[in-house]
Amino acid sequence: MTKTVIVTTSINARPTALANWAAQGHLIVAGDLNSPTALADYVAEIGGQYLTLAEQVKRWPDVSQVIGMWSIQRRNLAILAALDHEPDVIVTVDDDNAPDDNFVDEATTLLPSPSTIRSVVRPARGQLFNPGSLCDPPVRARGRPWSDESQTRS
């Protein structure tokens, strides 16, 4: 069985999508200054893991400072936390433009084996990895700098 971790952020107090995703893998939600205080309780209620801003700043102070406290990019810290669980697959998603309820299970069945994924997503030190390079045809992933020439190459 594939060990899946789903990571996200949210500005909603009780998004239904989170409960659906928590049922499909280990859910990690990274909070920011836009996240309602009730979100942490909801994530705990559905069996997920909530990363408070204080936890994020303590674990990754330099990265946290660069990202800022009001940013969807705090999800990157949820990805770092996901690595603690030694997953086969990390899925990142938004609850405000969510795909259907079963997309996590469906997506992981379409992916290559975990060992193939690990070998593809480890760029050389100092190089950026474009997750869109895994698409067919390759695309520039959202949030990637336009100055990076490896955007459509793996």
Side-chain angles (χ1 to χ4, degrees):
M1 180 170 202
T2 304
K3 189 174 182 182
T4 305
V5 177
I6 301 101
V7 300
T8 193
T9 58
S10 186
I11 59 169
N12 302 301
R14 298 181 65 83
T16 305
L18 296 188
N20 294 329
W21 300 333
Q24 297 178 67
H26 181 74
L27 175 70
I28 302 176
V29 179
D32 70 8
L33 289 177
N34 291 316
S35 301
T37 54
L39 180 61
D41 292 334
Y42 177 63
V43 171
E45 177 185 315
I46 60 174
Q49 177 183 350
Y50 186 81
L51 296 175
T52 66
L53 214 44
E55 289 174 274
Q56 296 170 48
V57 170
K58 183 177 180 181
R59 280 189 76 178
W60 306 284
D62 295 337
V63 175
S64 192
Q65 183 179 2
V66 170
I67 292 173
M69 303 301 163
W70 299 84
S71 174
I72 193 172
Q73 298 311 318
R74 300 216 67 85
R75 174 189 352 213
N76 294 319
L77 300 179
I79 292 171
L80 293 177
L83 295 173
D84 294 341
H85 300 275
E86 299 180 1
D88 296 317
V89 177
I90 298 173
V91 177
T92 177
V93 69
D94 293 322
D95 67 334
D96 57 349
N97 56 357
D100 69 36
D101 293 347
N102 297 316
F103 94 98
V104 174
D105 288 336
E106 293 167 3
T108 56
T109 62
L110 300 173
L111 292 169
S113 71
S115 60
T116 303
I117 294 170
R118 284 190 198 101
S119 68
V120 171
V121 300
R122 284 200 180 135
R125 185 169 177 82
Q127 291 183 331
L128 298 174
F129 172 71
N130 172 26
S133 67
L134 299 174
C135 295
D136 186 17
V139 298
R140 181 184 310 269
R142 177 177 149 190
R144 304 295 298 162
W146 284 101
S147 60
D148 179 26
E149 293 182 20
S150 67
Q151 288 298 307
T152 56
R153 291 181 273 133
S154 57

